Amino acid sequence: MFIKVDPISLVGQISPRSLQGAIALAYCADASDKNGGIRFAIPPYELCAPGITAVVYFAVRRMRFVQHGTAGEKQMQVANLVLPVFAIILTGWLAGWLGYISRSLSDGLVHFAYNVAMPALLVVTIAQEPARSLLEWRFLFAFGGGSIFCFLLVFLAVYTGLGRGVASSTMHGMAAAMTNTGFVALPILHSIYGQPAVLPAAVATVFVAAVMFPATVILLESEGRGDDGRARPVALMKQIVLNPMVLSTLIGLAWAITGLPMPLPLKAYLNIFAAALTPCALFAIGLGLSVEGITSNLTMSLVLAAVKLLIMPLIVYGLCAASNLDPLYTIAAVVCAAVPTAKTAYILAGEYKVEEELVAAMVSITTLLSIATLLGWLYALSRLAGQAS
């Protein structure tokens, strides 16, 4: 039998009994009528499950927004999908600000997400991809080229215009170009577009870890900022190879090249950890967010934030268009470019004792401002989402 769901009249609570049926129904939508109602083939026993219409409606609306919605509907749906993501960050900040959860626990959540949940997601996603689709040079050209261009733009402006040294100019450049792909872009793309969007986010994350991070260290070392110049290259190579993101990506690549299917128990095991990435990573970002840090170096931070959140995504989008990149990969590249400055930059600033306050302020202010700017970029890219589906 068929039932028509009216969006205006949807009410109810999610019932554990109806959840499984709701998920099944959401993927068995029959059609949509002209008035915005949705028709489903619903088994009779599911009609009595409380709250099922609400669950089905929102699940199917998520699929429909990339297929049938008008521009206004797409914008509304983007907001419905993205705002909860940033609400998790806000919840983390409120929990720390009110003292409900100690801010010191942020490090523990970060370590779990970074060392366990994220590697699990990368392995389970990349291992199931066809080997031929794993290396997309146009994505690397767009995201990597945009990152390097913005770094050089800021580096040269600070070095020549402000007369700062190599180390200070490097940290200014990295504050504007080293993007938080792993902790913000990857969870957002995964929660909105699912596992297909994880692969380009993983590539971007590896690029940051294997290219941007070492480049920063080399430039800082060139000004004699390190303690032991001879030990640094070996330590740097070890840090790159044993980086959880790089290592898990390599494991996934090796598995994909073999073409072997992943055993179901192992897949289920990894997916349990992978599911924890989004809440843990985003909550930890909010929990560690310092409003006080935003006020320090405010003018320079706002200038660099404009480069990071507006100019860099625009350059990356231009490179995506120039290289005729796949729509989903284009969205992923722009989102990866539009997320806040990586905390990795602050770790380097602290280790080398250069521009610590500026980089800390950049991490905080870009995290705050990206709530608006990233939403704007997703609105702008909503037309591509239909092609990506």
Side-chain angles (χ1 to χ4, degrees):
M1 66 182 296
F2 290 93
I3 183 171
K4 176 181 174 181
V5 179
D6 178 11
I8 304 299
S9 62
L10 286 173
V11 292
Q13 302 294 323
I14 296 176
S15 163
R17 180 179 180 276
S18 66
L19 183 58
Q20 184 175 358
I23 295 172
L25 291 171
Y27 285 93
C28 297
D30 180 70
S32 61
D33 67 9
K34 295 180 180 179
N35 298 321
I38 304 171
R39 299 173 68 240
F40 297 94
I42 299 183
Y45 66 84
E46 288 291 353
L47 291 175
C48 62
I52 193 171
T53 53
V55 178
V56 172
Y57 171 72
F58 286 112
V60 176
R61 286 289 291 181
R62 174 172 177 168
M63 293 188 294
R64 290 184 68 224
F65 113 89
V66 294
Q67 297 174 355
H68 308 296
T70 64
E73 287 177 326
K74 288 179 180 179
Q75 289 183 349
M76 180 67 73
Q77 194 60 30
V78 169
N80 289 342
L81 294 172
V82 176
L83 289 180
V85 171
F86 284 103
I88 298 174
I89 297 176
L90 178 61
T91 303
W93 176 77
L94 284 173
W97 181 64
L98 295 173
Y100 183 71
I101 296 179
S102 172
R103 291 189 184 278
S104 62
L105 294 177
S106 173
D107 290 340
L109 288 173
V110 166
H111 283 297
F112 171 78
Y114 188 80
N115 293 292
V116 179
M118 191 184 303
L121 176 61
L122 293 178
V123 170
V124 76
T125 299
I126 297 173
Q128 299 177 88
E129 286 288 327
R132 64 180 180 276
S133 68
L134 292 175
L135 295 177
E136 175 56 82
W137 69 265
R138 290 173 298 180
F139 178 84
L140 283 173
F141 167 73
F143 175 76
S147 300
I148 294 173
F149 179 85
C150 286
F151 166 75
L152 292 175
L153 178 69
V154 174
F155 178 91
L156 293 175
V158 174
Y159 186 75
T160 60
L162 300 180
R164 302 288 182 87
V166 172
S168 177
S169 301
T170 297
M171 291 317 304
H172 277 80
M174 286 304 175
M178 188 179 284
T179 189
N180 200 342
T181 53
F183 260 64
V184 182
L186 200 155
I188 288 176
L189 289 168
H190 182 234
S191 64
I192 296 176
Y193 298 104
Q195 285 200 338
V198 170
L199 180 59
V203 173
T205 301
V206 172
F207 177 84
V208 172
V211 177
M212 301 296 285
F213 185 84
T216 306
V217 173
I218 291 170
L219 287 170
L220 292 173
E221 289 287 345
S222 70
E223 204 173 67
R225 290 275 174 172
D227 297 329
D228 189 347
R230 292 173 299 175
R232 280 287 176 181
V234 176
L236 177 60
M237 287 302 301
K238 182 178 179 181
Q239 190 171 16
I240 293 172
V241 174
L242 297 182
N243 181 293
M245 293 179 290
V246 176
L247 190 59
S248 56
T249 299
L250 292 176
I251 293 173
L253 284 170
W255 196 306
I257 290 172
T258 65
L260 296 174
M262 181 171 287
L264 291 179
L266 177 60
K267 182 178 177 181
Y269 168 77
L270 292 174
N271 276 327
I272 291 173
F273 283 119
L277 173 62
T278 297
C280 282
L282 299 179
F283 190 87
I285 288 288
L287 190 61
L289 185 62
S290 171
V291 177
E292 295 79 10
I294 295 176
T295 58
S296 62
N297 296 278
L298 185 60
T299 302
M300 179 58 75
S301 295
L302 288 174
V303 172
L304 294 178
V307 175
K308 177 70 196 72
L309 302 177
L310 299 176
I311 296 177
M312 181 172 166
L314 186 61
I315 292 172
V316 169
Y317 178 76
L319 293 174
C320 290
S323 60
N324 196 28
L325 187 61
D326 172 84
L328 179 61
Y329 275 63
T330 297
I331 294 172
V334 175
V335 169
C336 286
V339 294
T341 300
K343 283 191 172 181
T344 309
Y346 177 70
I347 293 173
L348 287 173
E351 183 175 348
Y352 285 89
K353 308 299 180 186
V354 55
E355 301 295 350
E356 296 172 77
E357 291 185 359
L358 172 67
V359 179
M362 270 295 290
V363 171
S364 297
I365 202 168
T366 52
T367 299
L368 183 64
L369 294 179
S370 65
I371 295 174
T373 57
L374 185 56
L375 191 59
W377 281 112
L378 286 169
Y379 279 157
L381 294 167
S382 59
R383 184 173 297 179
L384 281 176
Q387 303 174 35
S389 68

